[in-house]
Amino acid sequence: TNREEPIRLDNLINQQHVKSFFDHHKPDYVILAAAKVGGINSNMKYPAQFLYENTMIQNNIIHQSYLSKVKKLVFLGSSCIYPKECPQPMKEEYILSGKLEPTNEGYALAKITGLKMTEYYNKQYGFKSINLMPCNLYGPNDSFDLENSHVLSALIKKFIDAKNENNPQIILWGTGIARREFMHVDDLAKAVLFMLENYNSTEFINIGWGEDISIKELANIIKDKTQYGGEIVWDNTKPDGMLRKCLDVSKMKNLGFTPTIKLSDGIDQMIELYEKQLKN
């Protein structure tokens, strides 16, 4: 819909602003992708903000969607909702079967609350919604700010900056053994529309590739693609985060959706975007 001003996170935290938006635009369908997000560093530094802001955003939008008689809402969660020591690959039924990863517990708790909120609104009020849990995402408009960026974008920035500054070594957090599953945001956008049209269960569904890669492997791929000639030093005094969180995506594939953008191609795109950003 056309709107008079951008909808910022601070608007969504404000209940009256959210009500005014719904009253004015009267949406039939809502895709709730808005969130305060960041990498391991910002999650560790600002757990209260991650819990508060995300919970407020979700509460306001889900409740107002119900009051406004929205036909269907799509809630986007995160693979961090699963327990720290979760069996791999992670099946949907493993949620709440163990303790969360401490480094992103605030964000995970908020996303679990949003998931349960839509589930309960369906149970109590018959409000129609679906819940999608994507793996780690990357793509255009991701932040390259090291304070807030996710690992893939952060690595691209670090390697290109180190190359441009002729730094003989680059220091990366952790040991590199942690494994992550990555999906391009364009694939997620296609998945959202596909599930909006084809999925109606209150049970949440994983969205991803079902394949992961170690941070060390990812770093070496980006090192080669950026042609950085220096040394990688792993700072094992810093946390790795959850060692593995690979999704079981069999339910998604059984419904007929499979992502198409390969990680190698996506990394090429992100390198090009950051280099273009530097030139501008």
Side-chain angles (χ1 to χ4, degrees), residues 49-94:
Q49 283 178 258
F50 274 86
L51 179 59
Y52 172 76
E53 293 185 22
N54 285 302
T55 303
M56 290 297 291
I57 290 167
Q58 296 161 187
N59 287 352
N60 290 337
I61 295 176
I62 294 169
H63 186 65
Q64 196 59 51
S65 294
Y66 157 66
L67 293 178
S68 301
K69 296 180 170 55
V70 165
K71 294 178 181 177
K72 192 173 185 180
L73 177 141
V74 180
F75 176 72
L76 294 176
S78 165
S79 58
C80 71
I81 66 169
Y82 286 105
K84 177 180 180 179
E85 298 179 359
C86 191
Q88 304 290 319
M90 301 185 295
K91 298 178 183 292
E92 287 87 349
E93 56 262 35
Y94 295 160

Coordinates of all heavy atoms in Angstrom, one line a residue, residues 49-94:
Q49 N 17.0 -5.2 25.0 CA 16.4 -4.5 23.8 C 15.8 -5.6 22.8 O 14.7 -5.4 22.3 CB 17.4 -3.7 23.1 CG 17.7 -2.3 23.7 CD 18.7 -1.5 23.0 OE1 19.9 -1.5 23.4 NE2 18.3 -0.9 21.9
F50 N 16.6 -6.7 22.6 CA 16.1 -7.7 21.7 C 14.8 -8.3 22.1 O 13.9 -8.6 21.4 CB 17.2 -8.7 21.4 CG 18.2 -8.4 20.4 CD1 19.3 -7.6 20.7 CD2 18.0 -8.8 19.1 CE1 20.2 -7.2 19.7 CE2 18.9 -8.5 18.1 CZ 20.0 -7.7 18.4
L51 N 14.7 -8.5 23.4 CA 13.5 -9.1 24.0 C 12.4 -8.2 24.0 O 11.3 -8.5 23.5 CB 13.8 -9.7 25.4 CG 12.6 -10.3 26.2 CD1 12.0 -11.5 25.4 CD2 13.0 -10.7 27.6
Y52 N 12.6 -6.9 24.5 CA 11.5 -6.0 24.6 C 11.0 -5.5 23.3 O 9.8 -5.6 23.0 CB 12.0 -4.7 25.4 CG 11.1 -3.6 25.4 CD1 9.9 -3.6 26.2 CD2 11.3 -2.5 24.6 CE1 9.0 -2.6 26.2 CE2 10.3 -1.4 24.6 CZ 9.2 -1.5 25.4 OH 8.3 -0.5 25.3
E53 N 11.9 -5.0 22.4 CA 11.5 -4.5 21.1 C 10.7 -5.5 20.2 O 9.7 -5.2 19.7 CB 12.6 -3.8 20.4 CG 13.2 -2.6 21.1 CD 14.3 -1.9 20.3 OE1 14.3 -2.1 19.1 OE2 15.1 -1.2 20.9
N54 N 11.3 -6.7 20.2 CA 10.7 -7.7 19.3 C 9.3 -8.2 19.9 O 8.4 -8.4 19.2 CB 11.6 -8.9 19.1 CG 12.7 -8.6 18.2 OD1 12.5 -8.2 17.0 ND2 14.0 -8.7 18.6
T55 N 9.3 -8.3 21.2 CA 8.0 -8.7 21.8 C 6.9 -7.6 21.6 O 5.8 -8.0 21.3 CB 8.2 -9.0 23.3 OG1 9.2 -10.0 23.5 CG2 6.9 -9.5 24.0
M56 N 7.3 -6.4 21.8 CA 6.3 -5.3 21.6 C 5.8 -5.2 20.1 O 4.6 -5.1 19.9 CB 7.0 -4.0 22.0 CG 7.2 -3.8 23.5 SD 5.7 -3.8 24.4 CE 5.0 -2.3 23.9
I57 N 6.8 -5.4 19.2 CA 6.4 -5.3 17.7 C 5.4 -6.4 17.4 O 4.4 -6.2 16.8 CB 7.7 -5.5 16.9 CG1 8.5 -4.2 16.9 CG2 7.3 -5.8 15.4 CD1 9.9 -4.4 16.4
Q58 N 5.7 -7.6 17.9 CA 4.9 -8.8 17.6 C 3.5 -8.6 18.3 O 2.4 -8.9 17.7 CB 5.5 -10.1 18.2 CG 6.8 -10.4 17.4 CD 7.7 -11.4 18.2 OE1 8.8 -11.6 17.8 NE2 7.2 -11.9 19.3
N59 N 3.5 -8.3 19.6 CA 2.2 -8.1 20.3 C 1.3 -7.1 19.6 O 0.1 -7.4 19.4 CB 2.5 -7.6 21.7 CG 3.1 -8.7 22.6 OD1 3.1 -9.9 22.2 ND2 3.5 -8.3 23.8
N60 N 1.9 -6.0 19.2 CA 1.1 -4.9 18.6 C 0.5 -5.4 17.3 O -0.7 -5.2 17.0 CB 1.9 -3.6 18.4 CG 2.2 -3.0 19.8 OD1 1.5 -3.2 20.7 ND2 3.2 -2.2 19.8
I61 N 1.3 -5.9 16.4 CA 0.9 -6.3 15.1 C 0.0 -7.5 15.1 O -1.1 -7.5 14.4 CB 2.1 -6.5 14.1 CG1 2.9 -5.2 14.0 CG2 1.7 -7.0 12.8 CD1 4.2 -5.4 13.2
I62 N 0.3 -8.5 15.8 CA -0.6 -9.7 15.8 C -2.0 -9.3 16.4 O -3.0 -9.7 15.9 CB 0.1 -10.8 16.6 CG1 1.3 -11.3 15.9 CG2 -0.9 -12.0 16.8 CD1 2.2 -12.3 16.7
H63 N -2.0 -8.6 17.5 CA -3.2 -8.2 18.2 C -4.1 -7.3 17.3 O -5.3 -7.5 17.1 CB -3.0 -7.6 19.5 CG -4.2 -7.3 20.3 ND1 -5.0 -8.3 20.8 CD2 -4.8 -6.1 20.7 CE1 -6.1 -7.8 21.5 NE2 -6.0 -6.4 21.4
Q64 N -3.4 -6.3 16.7 CA -4.2 -5.4 15.8 C -4.6 -6.1 14.5 O -5.7 -5.8 14.0 CB -3.3 -4.2 15.5 CG -4.1 -3.0 14.9 CD -5.1 -2.5 15.9 OE1 -4.9 -2.3 17.0 NE2 -6.4 -2.4 15.4
S65 N -3.9 -7.1 14.0 CA -4.3 -7.8 12.9 C -5.6 -8.6 13.2 O -6.5 -8.7 12.4 CB -3.2 -8.8 12.5 OG -2.1 -8.2 12.0
Y66 N -5.6 -9.1 14.4 CA -6.9 -9.8 14.9 C -8.0 -8.9 15.0 O -9.1 -9.1 14.5 CB -6.6 -10.5 16.2 CG -7.8 -10.8 17.0 CD1 -8.8 -11.7 16.6 CD2 -8.0 -10.1 18.2 CE1 -9.9 -11.9 17.3 CE2 -9.2 -10.3 19.0 CZ -10.1 -11.2 18.5 OH -11.3 -11.4 19.3
L67 N -7.8 -7.7 15.6 CA -8.9 -6.8 15.8 C -9.4 -6.2 14.5 O -10.6 -5.9 14.3 CB -8.4 -5.6 16.7 CG -8.1 -5.9 18.2 CD1 -7.6 -4.7 18.9 CD2 -9.3 -6.5 18.9
S68 N -8.5 -6.1 13.5 CA -8.8 -5.5 12.2 C -9.3 -6.6 11.2 O -9.5 -6.3 10.1 CB -7.6 -4.8 11.6 OG -7.1 -3.8 12.5
K69 N -9.5 -7.8 11.7 CA -10.1 -8.9 10.9 C -9.2 -9.1 9.6 O -9.7 -9.3 8.5 CB -11.5 -8.6 10.5 CG -12.5 -8.5 11.7 CD -13.9 -8.3 11.3 CE -14.9 -8.5 12.5 NZ -14.5 -7.7 13.7
V70 N -7.9 -9.1 9.8 CA -7.0 -9.5 8.7 C -7.3 -11.0 8.3 O -7.5 -11.8 9.2 CB -5.5 -9.4 9.2 CG1 -4.6 -10.1 8.3 CG2 -5.2 -7.9 9.3
K71 N -7.3 -11.2 7.0 CA -7.7 -12.6 6.6 C -6.6 -13.6 6.9 O -7.0 -14.8 7.2 CB -7.9 -12.5 5.0 CG -9.1 -11.7 4.6 CD -9.2 -11.7 3.1 CE -10.4 -10.8 2.7 NZ -10.5 -10.7 1.2
K72 N -5.3 -13.2 6.9 CA -4.3 -14.2 7.2 C -3.0 -13.4 7.5 O -2.7 -12.5 6.8 CB -4.1 -15.1 6.0 CG -3.2 -16.3 6.3 CD -3.2 -17.3 5.1 CE -2.5 -18.6 5.3 NZ -2.5 -19.4 4.1
L73 N -2.3 -13.9 8.5 CA -1.0 -13.3 8.9 C 0.1 -14.3 8.8 O -0.1 -15.5 9.1 CB -1.1 -12.8 10.3 CG 0.2 -12.2 10.9 CD1 -0.1 -11.0 11.8 CD2 1.0 -13.2 11.8
V74 N 1.2 -13.9 8.3 CA 2.4 -14.7 8.2 C 3.4 -14.2 9.2 O 3.8 -13.0 9.2 CB 3.1 -14.7 6.8 CG1 4.3 -15.6 6.8 CG2 2.1 -15.2 5.8
F75 N 3.8 -15.0 10.2 CA 4.8 -14.6 11.2 C 6.2 -15.3 10.9 O 6.2 -16.5 10.7 CB 4.4 -15.0 12.6 CG 5.4 -14.7 13.7 CD1 5.6 -13.4 14.1 CD2 6.1 -15.8 14.3 CE1 6.6 -13.2 15.1 CE2 7.0 -15.5 15.3 CZ 7.3 -14.2 15.6
L76 N 7.2 -14.5 10.8 CA 8.5 -15.0 10.5 C 9.3 -15.1 11.8 O 9.5 -14.1 12.5 CB 9.3 -14.1 9.5 CG 8.7 -14.1 8.1 CD1 9.5 -13.1 7.3 CD2 8.7 -15.4 7.5
G77 N 9.8 -16.3 12.1 CA 10.6 -16.5 13.3 C 12.1 -16.6 13.0 O 12.6 -15.9 12.1
S78 N 12.7 -17.6 13.6 CA 14.2 -17.7 13.4 C 14.6 -19.1 13.9 O 14.0 -19.7 14.9 CB 14.9 -16.7 14.2 OG 16.3 -17.0 14.3
S79 N 15.6 -19.7 13.3 CA 16.1 -21.0 13.7 C 16.7 -21.0 15.1 O 16.9 -22.0 15.7 CB 17.1 -21.5 12.7 OG 18.2 -20.7 12.6
C80 N 16.9 -19.8 15.7 CA 17.5 -19.7 17.1 C 16.5 -20.1 18.1 O 16.8 -20.1 19.3 CB 18.1 -18.3 17.3 SG 16.9 -17.0 17.5
I81 N 15.2 -20.4 17.7 CA 14.2 -20.8 18.7 C 14.5 -22.2 19.2 O 13.9 -22.6 20.3 CB 12.8 -20.7 18.1 CG1 12.6 -21.8 17.0 CG2 12.4 -19.3 17.6 CD1 11.2 -22.0 16.5
Y82 N 15.3 -22.9 18.5 CA 15.6 -24.3 18.9 C 16.6 -24.4 20.1 O 17.4 -23.5 20.2 CB 16.1 -25.1 17.7 CG 15.0 -25.4 16.7 CD1 15.0 -24.7 15.5 CD2 14.1 -26.4 17.0 CE1 14.0 -25.0 14.6 CE2 13.1 -26.7 16.0 CZ 13.0 -26.0 14.8 OH 12.1 -26.3 13.9
P83 N 16.6 -25.5 20.8 CA 17.5 -25.6 22.0 C 19.0 -25.6 21.5 O 19.3 -26.0 20.4 CB 17.1 -27.0 22.6 CG 15.7 -27.2 22.1 CD 15.6 -26.6 20.8
K84 N 19.8 -25.2 22.4 CA 21.3 -25.1 22.1 C 21.8 -26.5 21.7 O 22.6 -26.6 20.8 CB 22.0 -24.6 23.4 CG 23.5 -24.6 23.2 CD 24.2 -24.1 24.5 CE 25.7 -24.0 24.3 NZ 26.4 -23.5 25.5
E85 N 21.4 -27.5 22.4 CA 21.9 -28.9 22.1 C 20.8 -29.7 21.4 O 20.5 -30.8 21.8 CB 22.4 -29.6 23.4 CG 23.6 -28.8 24.0 CD 24.0 -29.4 25.3 OE1 23.4 -30.5 25.7 OE2 25.0 -28.9 25.9
C86 N 20.3 -29.1 20.3 CA 19.2 -29.8 19.6 C 19.7 -30.8 18.7 O 20.8 -30.7 18.0 CB 18.5 -28.7 18.8 SG 16.9 -29.2 18.1
P87 N 19.1 -32.0 18.6 CA 19.4 -33.0 17.6 C 19.4 -32.4 16.2 O 18.6 -31.5 15.9 CB 18.3 -34.1 17.7 CG 17.8 -33.9 19.1 CD 17.9 -32.4 19.4
Q88 N 20.3 -32.9 15.3 CA 20.4 -32.3 13.9 C 20.0 -33.4 12.9 O 20.3 -34.6 13.1 CB 21.9 -31.9 13.7 CG 22.4 -30.9 14.7 CD 21.7 -29.5 14.5 OE1 21.5 -29.0 13.4 NE2 21.4 -28.9 15.6
P89 N 19.4 -33.0 11.8 CA 18.8 -31.6 11.6 C 17.6 -31.4 12.5 O 17.0 -32.3 13.0 CB 18.4 -31.7 10.1 CG 18.1 -33.1 9.8 CD 19.1 -33.9 10.7
M90 N 17.3 -30.1 12.7 CA 16.3 -29.8 13.7 C 14.9 -29.9 13.1 O 14.5 -29.1 12.2 CB 16.5 -28.3 14.2 CG 17.9 -28.2 14.8 SD 18.2 -26.6 15.5 CE 18.2 -25.5 14.1
K91 N 14.1 -30.8 13.7 CA 12.7 -31.0 13.3 C 11.8 -30.0 14.1 O 12.2 -29.6 15.2 CB 12.2 -32.4 13.5 CG 13.0 -33.5 12.7 CD 12.5 -34.8 13.1 CE 13.3 -35.9 12.4 NZ 13.0 -35.9 10.9
E92 N 10.7 -29.6 13.5 CA 9.8 -28.7 14.1 C 9.4 -29.1 15.5 O 9.2 -28.3 16.4 CB 8.5 -28.5 13.3 CG 8.8 -27.7 12.0 CD 9.2 -28.5 10.8 OE1 9.6 -29.6 11.0 OE2 9.2 -27.9 9.7
E93 N 9.2 -30.4 15.8 CA 8.8 -30.9 17.1 C 9.8 -30.8 18.2 O 9.5 -31.0 19.4 CB 8.3 -32.3 17.0 CG 9.3 -33.3 16.5 CD 9.1 -33.6 15.0 OE1 8.7 -32.7 14.2 OE2 9.4 -34.7 14.6
Y94 N 11.1 -30.4 17.8 CA 12.1 -30.2 18.9 C 12.0 -28.9 19.6 O 12.8 -28.7 20.6 CB 13.5 -30.3 18.2 CG 13.8 -31.7 17.6 CD1 14.8 -31.8 16.6 CD2 13.1 -32.8 17.9 CE1 15.1 -33.0 16.0 CE2 13.4 -34.0 17.4 CZ 14.4 -34.1 16.4 OH 14.7 -35.3 15.8

